[in-house]
């Protein structure tokens, strides 16, 4: 019994999608080539190709028209690229927000004083 990848993709969990796959796909789409994307990402061309293939498999749709140079996005690929860019931007905004929050948090400071000094600094 064969399975339909499109039907399966509708039942896919978000856990099945790796953020790094979206980053890789964005680079491939922007560069128009697996090789150029792999150089920029610092990984092998094979790793980039496999990542995009797995993403296509999980989504149940081709994202790229293979065989064309430079690579051309399919309709689904254009939609995934649009959403992936928003996803990555939201993740960056979240990280920046958390960093700002962390920098604003008041840190507590405990000071140990002897009884003599404690009496000198006592506030009523």
């Amino acid at each position: 019994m064969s399975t339909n990848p499109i039907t399966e993709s509708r039942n896919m969990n978000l856990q099945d999608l790796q953020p790094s796959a979206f980053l890789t796909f964005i680079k491939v789409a922007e560069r128009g080539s697996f090789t150029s994307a792999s150089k920029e990402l610092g990984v092998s061309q094979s790793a980039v190709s496999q990542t995009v293939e797995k993403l296509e498999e999980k989504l149940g749709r081709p994202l790229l028209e293979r065989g064309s140079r430079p690579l051309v996005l399919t309709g689904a690929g254009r939609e995934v690229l649009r959403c992936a860019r928003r996803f990555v931007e939201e993740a960056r905004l979240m990280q920046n927000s958390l960093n700002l929050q962390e920098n604003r948090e008041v840190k507590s400071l405990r000071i140990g004083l002897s009884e003599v000094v404690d009496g000198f600094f006592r506030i009523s």
Side-chain angles (χ1 to χ4, degrees), residues 34 46-59 61 63-64 66:
F34 289 110
S46 174
V48 169
S49 180
Q50 287 176 5
T51 299
V52 172
E53 284 177 11
K54 285 179 185 175
L55 183 59
E56 289 176 315
E57 193 176 288
K58 288 177 181 181
L59 294 173
R61 293 169 174 80
L63 303 177
L64 302 167
R66 291 182 169 62

Side-chain angles (χ1 to χ4, degrees), residues 11-12 14 21 30 35 39-40 42 51 56 60 68 71 74-77 82 90 109 117 119 121:
N11 297 325
M12 175 183 47
L14 285 176
E30 290 174 347
T35 303
K39 288 178 183 174
E40 189 168 333
T51 299
E56 289 176 315
S68 61
L71 291 172
T74 63
R82 184 183 68 76
E90 288 296 324
L109 174 65
V117 176
F121 286 106

Side-chain angles (χ1 to χ4, degrees), residues 19-29 34 37 41 43 47-49 51-52 55:
S20 60
F22 289 117
L23 291 169
T24 300
F25 176 69
I26 290 169
K27 288 295 177 199
V28 169
F34 289 110
L41 294 167
V43 298
V48 169
S49 180
T51 299
V52 172
L55 183 59

Side-chain angles (χ1 to χ4, degrees), residues 108-114 117-118 121:
S108 63
L109 174 65
R110 292 181 185 220
I111 301 174
L113 302 172
S114 71
V117 176
D118 183 38
F121 286 106

Side-chain angles (χ1 to χ4, degrees), residues 82-95:
R82 184 183 68 76
C83 293
R85 283 179 171 153
R86 283 189 9 224
F87 170 76
V88 168
E89 181 59 25
E90 288 296 324
R92 285 186 181 129
L93 289 172
M94 178 184 64
Q95 186 62 55

